[in-house]
Amino acid sequence: MALYSEKVMDHFRNPRNVGILEDANGIGEVGNAKCGDIMKIYLKIEDDIVKDVRFETFGCGSAIASSSMATEMIKGKPLKDALALTNKAVAEALDGLPAHKMHCSVLAEEAIKRAILDYYKRKGLPYDEETFREAECCHETE
């Protein structure tokens, strides 16, 4: 049995939504010191809809595939749906990740949450602190 699904390989070889979004109004960056993966998510949010999303990822194929799939899953969606995206949903959409690569889907979820938090802060919008507790404290890239 192959270590990676065809979907993982497709999103690794042909990542969607790659690059910097110059007019982003929410940016989230996370990293995992243990494996060296770094993800940066750029969001353009209008009327509570994710109008556009881009990513930059330095990392393994699973990290790139997770970033690509996660951006596809939230593009055009209401902000509440983007906020509800879980790492498990990303992994399932990729037809699974090896257990030792699940942290890649966790980083994608956290980068999106951090970008949404950045959007709320930039706009001065109220937010539920509990929802963003992990995004504010963990996986710093500094």
Side-chain angles (χ1 to χ4, degrees), residues 28-42 55-60 62-68 70-71 74 85-88 90-91 97 100-115 134-135 138-141:
E29 186 171 357
V30 295
N32 183 312
K34 184 177 178 183
C35 69
D37 294 334
I38 299 171
M39 288 183 189
K40 193 168 191 177
I41 299 282
Y42 301 86
F55 77 91
E56 293 180 297
T57 294
F58 177 84
C60 67
S62 294
I64 293 166
S66 292
S67 301
S68 175
T71 61
I74 67 168
L85 183 70
T86 66
N87 73 296
K88 289 179 183 157
V90 173
L97 287 170
H100 67 283
K101 293 295 185 177
M102 282 300 289
H103 68 274
C104 296
S105 62
V106 171
L107 287 175
E109 175 189 342
E110 290 175 351
I112 289 168
K113 282 186 177 170
R114 193 170 282 190
E134 289 290 315
C138 303
H139 299 289
E140 295 297 325
T141 55

Side-chain angles (χ1 to χ4, degrees), residues 24-28 113-124 132:
N25 54 9
I27 300 172
K113 282 186 177 170
R114 193 170 282 190
I116 293 169
L117 176 61
D118 181 54
Y119 168 76
Y120 286 147
K121 287 181 174 182
R122 287 180 190 216
K123 296 290 184 179
F132 295 101

Side-chain angles (χ1 to χ4, degrees), residues 44-86:
K44 177 64 176 176
I45 300 165
E46 295 174 8
D47 301 320
D48 281 339
I49 303 290
V50 178
K51 293 291 185 180
D52 203 359
V53 57
R54 298 274 183 265
F55 77 91
E56 293 180 297
T57 294
F58 177 84
C60 67
S62 294
I64 293 166
S66 292
S67 301
S68 175
M69 180 58 81
T71 61
E72 285 288 280
M73 293 174 77
I74 67 168
K75 192 173 190 176
K77 301 284 194 239
L79 201 51
K80 66 177 178 56
D81 291 352
L83 191 55
L85 183 70
T86 66

